[in-house]
């Protein structure tokens, strides 16, 4: 029987518990634009008391530099308008430029903007703002999440800002190559996963942990797919390679345990749970995740889905009860 992405997406779906992350983002989406910006400010500064992101490298900041310089030169009212335009995904030149940024450049842009706010070059949020009950409610919901889930909420809201450029084709300015992300610690390359000896899985983790995306891609079938958390599958080696270069640099993947079900056609379904660290927060934040692999009878990865776990208990939840 031919493997299909649709059926692959459903492997181990009975072991998945809905994550509280989309529920928190749904509450955020209901806030007014000013409330959304205020929420992000409070959530980010509150979080900053225990964990702070590492400063993005100069090469990455350079990609956002022109926008940041324009904003620095604006009046406080104009600065507030730019932030509102970004949050409401308005069609303005700045919001379009932002829309073309990669995920990490979007994060670097806001990182730098928050620094400029603290230094007084950019108007802080909120000016004379009274926290609304809605913001309070989303902040309360956010406090109940673990640190890995909290940074995912921040990341996903930041990624969604700016004009939606997905229908526009490539940016007219030449696409700058994605700058390298410095690793915060030596890559973890000796991989042992309780219950899993599948070479494609071990090879995948090892390759990803040393940013060797060519080696990781070689493990996929030509029509293979990778489904990042809360996203649709990215199909085909070229598209996966582009995604990895943009978004998977500097990650530390620490799979702990897994299960492997061999199917009658010789394909294998594996679920592996463990912890991933992002170079933004290094060892200070661990995200509990699972990988669901479908390996074809020839030992190639046909599909892998990465899911954020609802809770640490789920790390052990490898069998449907
Ligand atoms: C201020 C107020 C105004 C509005 C805004 C503000 C600034 C906010 C800032 C936020 C910064 C947030 C950051 C978040 C970083 C999050 C990173 C995450 C990474 C998760 C990665 C995962 C990787 C999984 C994968 C695996 C694979 O096997 C394949 C690849 C891949 C305050 C000014 C906005 C500054 C820095 C959550 C889970 C395991 C799928 C990638």
């Amino acid at each position: 029987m031919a493997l299909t992405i649709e059926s692959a997406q459903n492997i181990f779906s009975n072991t998945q518990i809905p994550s509280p992350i989309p529920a928190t983002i749904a509450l955020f989406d209901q806030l007014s634009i000013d409330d959304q910006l205020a929420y992000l400010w409070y959530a980010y500064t509150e979080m900053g008391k225990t964990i702070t992101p590492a400063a993005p490298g100069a090469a990455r900041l350079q990609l956002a530099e022109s926008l940041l310089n324009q904003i620095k030169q604006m009046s406080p009212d104009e600065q507030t308008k730019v932030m509102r335009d970004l949050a409401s995904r308005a069609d303005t030149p700045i919001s379009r430029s932002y829309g073309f940024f990669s995920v990490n450049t979007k994060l670097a842009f806001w990182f730098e903007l928050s620094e400029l706010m603290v230094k007084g070059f950019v108007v802080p949020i909120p000016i004379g703002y009274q926290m609304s009950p809605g913001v309070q409610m989303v902040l309360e919901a956010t406090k109940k999440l673990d640190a890995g889930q909290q940074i995912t909420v921040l990341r996903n809201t930041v990624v969604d800002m700016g004009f939606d450029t997905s229908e526009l084709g490539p940016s007219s300015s030449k696409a700058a190559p994605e700058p390298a992300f410095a690793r915060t610690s030596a890559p973890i390359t000796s991989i042992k996963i309780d219950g899993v000896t599948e070479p494609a899985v071990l090879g995948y983790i090892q390759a990803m942990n040393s940013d060797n995306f060519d080696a990781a891609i070689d493990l996929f079938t030509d029509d293979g797919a990778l489904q990042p958390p809360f996203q649709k599958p990215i199909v085909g080696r070229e598209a996966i390679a582009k995604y990895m270069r943009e978004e998977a640099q500097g990650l530390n993947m620490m799979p702990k345990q897994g299960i492997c079900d061999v199917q009658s056609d010789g394909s294998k379904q594996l679920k592996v749970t463990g912890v991933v660290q992002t170079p933004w927060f290094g060892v200070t934040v661990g995200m509990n995740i699972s990988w669901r692999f479908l390996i074809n009878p020839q030992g190639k990865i046909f599909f892998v889905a990465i899911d954020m776990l609802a809770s640490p208990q789920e790390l052990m939840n490898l069998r449907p009860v």
Side-chain angles (χ1 to χ4, degrees), residues 19-21 24-25 39-40 42-44 46-51 107 138-158 281 285-287 308-309:
S19 155
I21 295 168
T24 309
I25 293 178
Y39 162 83
L40 287 164
Y42 287 119
Y44 185 71
E46 188 58 37
M47 198 181 75
K49 290 179 188 159
T50 44
I51 42 164
L107 291 169
V138 192
L139 282 172
E140 285 308 316
T142 309
K143 278 189 203 148
K144 295 196 185 103
L145 305 179
D146 66 37
Q149 294 169 330
Q150 290 178 348
I151 65 164
T152 306
V153 169
L154 282 186
R155 176 191 179 280
N156 291 6
T157 51
V158 163
F281 294 94
V285 183
M287 287 170 284
M308 303 290 301
L309 300 182

Side-chain angles (χ1 to χ4, degrees), residues 188-189 191 193 196-210 212-220 253 255 293 295 299 301:
I188 300 164
T189 48
I191 308 298
I193 310 174
V196 173
T197 53
E198 177 60 33
V201 170
L202 298 174
Y204 171 84
I205 303 286
Q206 190 149 3
M208 296 299 284
N209 272 349
S210 34
N212 189 348
F213 303 129
D214 290 341
I217 290 296
D218 273 349
L219 299 166
F220 282 79
M253 306 190 184
F293 286 94
I295 309 291
I301 303 172

